[in-house]
Amino acid sequence: VFSTEELAAIKSKIPDLQNTRTDLHNKMGFTYPTTIYLLDTFSKDELQKKYFNYTRKLIDDSDAELGFDMKKIFDLLASICKVSSLHLLKDESQTKHYFAPLSLRYLHPSFGEMTFHCEKDLKRLSSYFYSNTKNQISDRNIISFFLMVNKPTEGGLFSIFDMKQHDVKQKLSDTEVKLHNNKVVNIENDIQPNLIELAPGDLLLFNGGELWHRAEIVLGKEPRITLGGFLAEGLNDGKMYVWSWNSS
């Protein structure tokens, strides 16, 4: 999807994100704009400063913020979804604000990872986001997309498990789940995932709403950098909406 030159332009924005926007960081790396589940912990002033100011800048000028024109990705995704365009999700409690349409995810070399999850399970982590978008999108079919910007030299593969959200009764930890028959499954030992290796510039779409997945631990000295988000049909309007928690 992106050329070597376009990927280099995106990576040139990373030092500014790393050095000046420390509120974005967590122990695994950082997400820009900040991960949506953190919105539940923010005060109104922090929501404006640490999230909606960022999303506004990203929407108005993604080239300046992240080194690329979002329209290129969104036009491609709209074509794949057979719609004329993609639409942004509004915060229903603050109608002048929009949730991030995509995000950049940086995982530290040597230990960064994204643990076992699926989008529908993440609902339990963000009442703010879901309570303020419930009249806009349907959760019947949620598609994840992400683009590889920088590939680690080792590790960081994308794992998709043959397990859907409703198969799991309870997530016990990042490696163990309880199924509906009360059997406890260790995903490290009991399930063989589908491992997907992407080259820089590759774009992947999959049923991230339903399918459990993770990004394996990044090894070596190169970070894993991705751009990504979600797609879902509007609840009643026939439109296709785009947003992001973070990038897989």
Side-chain angles (χ1 to χ4, degrees):
V1 175
F2 280 167
S3 67
T4 301
E5 291 75 21
E6 289 171 316
L7 295 173
I10 296 170
K11 287 188 281 187
S12 73
K13 300 294 183 178
I14 299 297
D16 179 59
L17 295 177
Q18 285 179 304
N19 298 328
T20 66
R21 300 178 181 181
T22 55
D23 57 293
L24 304 173
H25 291 248
N26 62 35
K27 64 181 181 179
M28 297 299 180
F30 66 87
T31 301
Y32 176 78
T34 192
T35 308
I36 280 177
Y37 71 78
L38 292 178
L39 304 190
D40 290 65
T41 69
F42 287 168
S43 67
K44 187 174 181 180
D45 287 344
E46 287 176 320
L47 274 172
Q48 181 63 40
K49 180 180 179 181
K50 295 183 178 181
Y51 185 74
F52 288 119
N53 278 351
Y54 289 159
T55 62
R56 185 74 266 167
K57 291 175 183 177
L58 180 60
I59 292 166
D60 288 346
D61 194 349
S62 62
D63 211 353
E65 287 296 291
L66 289 180
F68 72 102
D69 186 353
M70 287 193 300
K71 187 175 185 300
K72 177 174 180 176
I73 292 179
F74 291 165
D75 285 350
L76 174 60
L77 293 173
S79 176
I80 293 171
C81 295
K82 298 183 179 180
V83 294
S84 59
S85 61
L86 302 182
H87 297 266
L88 306 182
L89 281 181
K90 291 182 178 180
D91 181 338
E92 293 172 7
S93 67
Q94 304 184 63
T95 54
K96 293 183 180 180
H97 296 303
Y98 291 91
F99 291 104
L102 55 67
S103 58
L104 179 141
R105 180 71 165 173
Y106 177 105
L107 295 180
H108 287 304
S110 301
F111 63 89
E113 66 177 323
M114 291 190 70
T115 55
F116 186 68
H117 67 284
C118 66
E119 199 277 340
K120 288 186 179 180
D121 182 66
L122 295 176
K123 284 185 177 182
R124 61 189 173 83
L125 297 178
S126 185
S127 60
Y128 185 94
F129 173 76
Y130 284 102
S131 64
N132 287 298
T133 57
K134 63 183 179 181
N135 298 313
Q136 298 173 73
I137 53 173
S138 167
D139 67 356
R140 183 183 62 181
N141 187 24
I142 296 175
I143 302 299
S144 297
F145 67 91
F146 78 93
L147 182 143
M148 183 64 69
V149 175
N150 194 75
K151 178 184 174 182
T153 53
E154 188 179 355
L157 294 179
F158 191 65
S159 295
I160 301 180
F161 295 81
D162 187 17
M163 180 182 292
K164 293 186 176 181
Q165 187 265 340
H166 63 263
D167 294 329
V168 174
K169 182 178 181 179
Q170 182 183 2
K171 180 180 174 182
L172 302 175
S173 70
D174 288 332
T175 58
E176 287 192 332
V177 296
K178 181 184 288 187
L179 305 182
H180 280 284
N181 61 6
N182 289 321
K183 179 181 179 181
V184 174
V185 172
N186 185 301
I187 64 170
E188 301 281 356
N189 303 321
D190 303 331
I191 302 176
Q192 181 63 44
N194 298 293
L195 295 172
I196 299 174
E197 184 171 1
L198 299 177
D202 285 352
L203 177 69
L204 174 68
L205 284 81
F206 73 105
N207 186 356
E210 291 281 351
L211 292 174
W212 291 84
H213 57 279
R214 70 180 181 182
E216 302 293 331
I217 295 175
V218 177
L219 305 173
K221 297 182 179 180
E222 281 290 316
R224 184 182 188 271
I225 306 172
T226 53
L227 295 166
F230 297 100
L231 301 164
E233 293 179 349
L235 195 59
N236 299 303
D237 57 15
K239 296 177 180 178
M240 184 67 70
Y241 288 85
V242 61
W243 79 97
S244 180
W245 272 75
N246 50 45
S247 172
S248 293

